[in-house]
């Protein structure tokens, strides 16, 4: 079982991790950070988060390599994975979905997009209008 | 700008669209109308108010009104109405003769997200024999809705990624709805305050996040006019901040649902 309340934020940019953290914490998630795919894989082995928010282009191990390794090791269900990347080509998105991503954000993102995607993933209730 | 100038622009916009501009909206006039002042070489808003008194200033009056509409929208906005739609459409079609063409009206459709959301729901349900009719006062948004092209930002708001790759294709930095969706939709310029009787019957009407801009008599008038086009067992969806209470007795809330309304006679019969 994964911790229902944690998000692992994987991005080689500290600024992006901080921006994501701010949005996620406001919704009550506890956030862990990793700066590349390998560190993220180790973090998942240590404790499985509910959601991985995943950049694509990173040194050491990129997001796609991480995703493939993660699904191979832990199966298709856990954790949820949401790409969050400047890669915005149709084929790249389809590739990520084929490799087991559950959601996809094309950067730049804002609070509204992240929050909406969390709702679609079933991690948040629809905000009352 | 002086109070008289503001009042005369506000009166014009209200008469043309129903939109109420309270004096605290003066900043909005400044920001939204500055491009028009520039284009028309008018010095300031008072000058514009004066120009608008001329009955020949029709196209200017129209541009001013359109500039003061708020066109914010997103796919599957508020979620729940579309969940309800998913449940009601099969029931509705079961109660119709075979071959019935389902008619849905997105009244005040803005850039079309609502209409395309409906098209995606119907497509997922396997309903192809349908017409989704989107209308809006603003020519600009109707044109964009018709194109079915959305920015990267817009296409991520409310739209799950699986739906995005299934129903949209990338064109440079933009995303266009697939022909299947566009074939189900039709967009026209139309004022909610006008006579809708020639449009015929709709099974479902969406009128969301537009009545909030109107005063109560206008809300009532529009609700009555829309209700008159609604099938006896049809449903109407309003925005989260909108209601029919005290505005019309032709519609009533469906118990246990949010923002879903039905013709009052049917509710009485069902109760
Ligand atoms: C905030 S948008 C709502 C879009 C969509 N229904 C939604 O809920 O996301 C309001 C729209 O109402 C339109 N509108 C305002 N007054 C109108 C009128 N009298 N007739 C038709 N459309 C009108 C505006 O042009 C604008 O596009």
């Amino acid at each position: 079982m994964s911790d229902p309340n944690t998000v692992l934020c994987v991005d080689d940019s500290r600024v992006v991790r901080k921006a994501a953290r701010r949005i996620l914490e406001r919704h009550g998630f506890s956030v862990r950070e990793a700066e590349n795919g390998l560190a993220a894989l180790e973090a998942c082995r240590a404790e499985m988060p509910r959601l991985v928010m995943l950049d694509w282009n990173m040194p050491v191990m990129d997001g796609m390599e991480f995703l493939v390794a993660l699904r191979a090791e832990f199966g298709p269900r856990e954790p949820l994975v949401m790409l969050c990347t400047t890669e915005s080509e149709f084929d790249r998105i389809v590739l990520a979905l084929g490799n087991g991503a559950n959601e996809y954000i094309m950067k730049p993102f804002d609070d509204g997009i992240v929050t909406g995607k969390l709702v679609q993933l079933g991690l948040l209730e629809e905000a009352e209008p | 700008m002086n109070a008289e100038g503001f009042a005369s622009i506000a009166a014009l916009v209200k008469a043309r669209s129903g939109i109420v501009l309270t004096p605290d909206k003066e900043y909005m006039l400044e920001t939204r109308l500055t491009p028009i002042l520039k284009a028309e070489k008018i010095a300031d808003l008072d000058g514009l108010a004066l120009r608008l008194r001329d009955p020949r200033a029709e196209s200017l009056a129209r541009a001013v009104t359109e500039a003061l509409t708020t066109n914010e929208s997103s796919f599957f906005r508020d979620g729940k109405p579309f969940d309800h739609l998913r449940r009601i459409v099969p029931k509705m079609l079961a109660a119709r003769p075979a071959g019935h063409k389902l008619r849905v009206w997105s009244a005040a459709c803005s850039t079309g997200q609502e209409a395309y959301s409906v098209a995606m729901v119907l497509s997922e349900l396997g309903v192809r024999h349908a017409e989704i009719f989107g209308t809006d006062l603003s020519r600009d948004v109707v044109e964009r809705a018709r194109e079915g092209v959305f920015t990267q930002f817009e296409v991520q708001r409310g739209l799950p990624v699986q739906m995005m790759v299934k129903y949209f294709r990338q064109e440079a930095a933009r995303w266009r709805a697939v022909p299947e969706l566009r074939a189900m939709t039709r967009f026209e310029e139309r004022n909610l305050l006008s006579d809708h009787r020639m449009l015929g019957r709709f099974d479902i009407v969406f009128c969301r996040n537009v009545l909030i801009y109107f005063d109560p008599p206008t809300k009532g008038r529009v609700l009555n006019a829309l209700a008159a086009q609604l099938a006896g067992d049809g449903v109407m969806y309003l925005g989260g901040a909108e209601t029919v209470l005290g505005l019309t007795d032709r519609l009533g809330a469906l118990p246990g649902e949010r923002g879903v309304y039905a013709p009052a006679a049917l509710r009485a019969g069902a109760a």
Side-chain angles (χ1 to χ4, degrees):
Chain A
M1 241 332 255
S2 61
D3 182 338
N5 217 16
T6 58
V7 180
L8 177 63
C9 191
V10 190
D11 200 302
D12 56 341
S13 156
R14 254 192 62 204
V15 178
V16 173
R17 293 200 306 267
K18 246 173 96 177
R21 173 185 283 275
R22 203 173 313 120
I23 295 170
L24 292 162
E25 285 182 343
R26 211 171 44 74
H27 291 300
F29 292 100
S30 69
V31 178
R32 290 188 290 150
E33 298 181 18
E35 59 184 17
N36 62 57
L38 192 62
L41 206 52
E42 278 154 13
C44 287
R45 286 177 187 136
E47 194 188 354
M48 192 58 87
R50 181 82 168 96
L51 170 71
V52 178
M53 200 163 152
L54 182 65
D55 188 17
W56 192 312
N57 298 303
M58 292 177 290
V60 187
M61 182 192 272
D62 76 20
M64 233 11 66
E65 293 172 284
F66 162 80
L67 179 58
V68 170
L70 178 83
R71 293 303 188 214
E73 187 169 337
F74 297 100
R77 304 180 79 85
E78 275 186 353
L80 294 169
V81 174
M82 174 162 74
L83 267 292
C84 185
T85 167
T86 51
E87 295 286 344
S88 57
E89 290 288 308
F90 188 85
D91 294 346
R92 302 291 265 179
I93 300 171
V94 171
L95 173 67
L97 293 176
N99 282 335
N102 305 91
E103 256 303 341
Y104 201 107
I105 292 176
M106 298 175 270
K107 284 178 182 165
F109 61 87
D110 67 1
D111 194 336
I113 288 176
V114 175
T115 303
K117 296 283 181 188
L118 293 172
V119 171
Q120 279 147 29
L121 286 168
L123 297 179
L124 282 182
E125 286 285 314
E126 189 78 47
E128 292 291 312
Chain B
M1 88 186 289
N2 63 45
E4 199 190 328
F6 180 87
S8 84
I9 293 182
L12 174 114
V13 169
K14 170 138 192 282
R16 297 185 69 103
S17 70
I19 297 171
V20 174
L21 297 166
T22 45
D24 61 302
K25 295 275 161 58
E26 196 174 318
Y27 74 93
M28 190 168 126
L29 262 63
E30 308 266 351
T31 52
R32 303 268 190 95
L33 299 182
T34 301
I36 295 180
L37 294 181
K38 285 221 175 84
E40 297 289 322
K41 301 194 170 54
I42 302 171
D44 55 17
L45 289 174
D46 291 325
L48 178 65
L50 223 59
R51 269 278 280 282
L52 287 168
R53 292 224 176 113
D54 185 340
R56 285 165 303 177
E58 167 62 24
S59 78
L60 184 61
R62 186 163 186 181
V64 166
T65 307
E66 295 188 5
L68 291 167
T69 60
T70 298
N71 311 119
E72 171 88 10
S73 192
S74 58
F75 290 99
F76 299 102
R77 185 166 182 178
D78 304 334
K80 296 235 160 56
F82 298 93
D83 296 339
H84 184 266
L85 181 71
R86 236 166 251 133
R87 285 182 273 127
I88 195 87
V89 164
K91 287 187 206 160
M92 217 176 238
L93 286 177
R96 302 272 187 284
H100 173 82
K101 184 174 205 169
L102 191 77
R103 296 190 76 218
V104 184
W105 184 7
S106 171
C109 63
S110 187
T111 36
Q113 284 91 333
E114 188 172 84
Y116 287 110
S117 300
V118 173
M120 285 184 269
V121 168
L122 296 185
S123 181
E124 294 285 298
L125 290 171
V127 178
R128 298 243 146 47
H129 199 45
E131 177 197 32
I132 302 157
F133 184 52
T135 60
D136 201 284
L137 173 87
S138 156
R139 289 166 293 183
D140 213 39
V141 295
V142 169
E143 188 50 44
R144 290 196 45 207
R146 205 174 274 146
E147 287 296 308
V149 179
F150 298 91
T151 65
Q152 178 172 303
F153 183 77
E154 288 165 338
V155 87
Q156 300 201 80
R157 287 206 50 202
L159 191 62
V161 68
Q162 282 84 0
M163 298 284 249
M164 186 186 86
V165 296
K166 185 165 175 191
Y167 292 111
F168 292 82
R169 289 295 168 267
Q170 200 165 28
E171 290 180 6
R174 287 166 188 258
W175 294 78
R176 187 190 291 271
V178 295
E180 178 198 341
L181 291 193
R182 295 181 67 205
M184 295 168 83
T185 50
R186 190 158 67 82
F187 294 94
E188 261 174 34
E189 184 190 318
R190 166 167 284 275
N191 194 330
L192 280 174
L193 307 184
S194 59
D195 185 347
H196 306 306
R197 281 172 297 185
M198 73 290 275
L199 297 180
R201 281 272 150 129
F202 290 93
D203 299 292
I204 296 161
V205 174
F206 283 75
C207 181
R208 304 169 68 226
N209 305 300
V210 62
L211 296 177
I212 39 170
Y213 301 104
F214 301 165
D215 67 6
T218 310
K219 290 179 196 189
R221 177 179 151 199
V222 169
L223 284 168
N224 282 332
L226 297 181
Q229 303 313 119
L230 191 60
D233 64 346
V235 291
M236 181 148 131
Y237 298 98
L238 299 184
E242 293 157 339
T243 176
V244 302
L245 271 181
L247 299 169
T248 175
D249 44 23
R250 301 190 62 149
L251 295 162
L254 276 193
E257 305 290 345
R258 266 189 83 97
V260 195
Y261 298 83
L266 177 82
R267 276 179 65 252

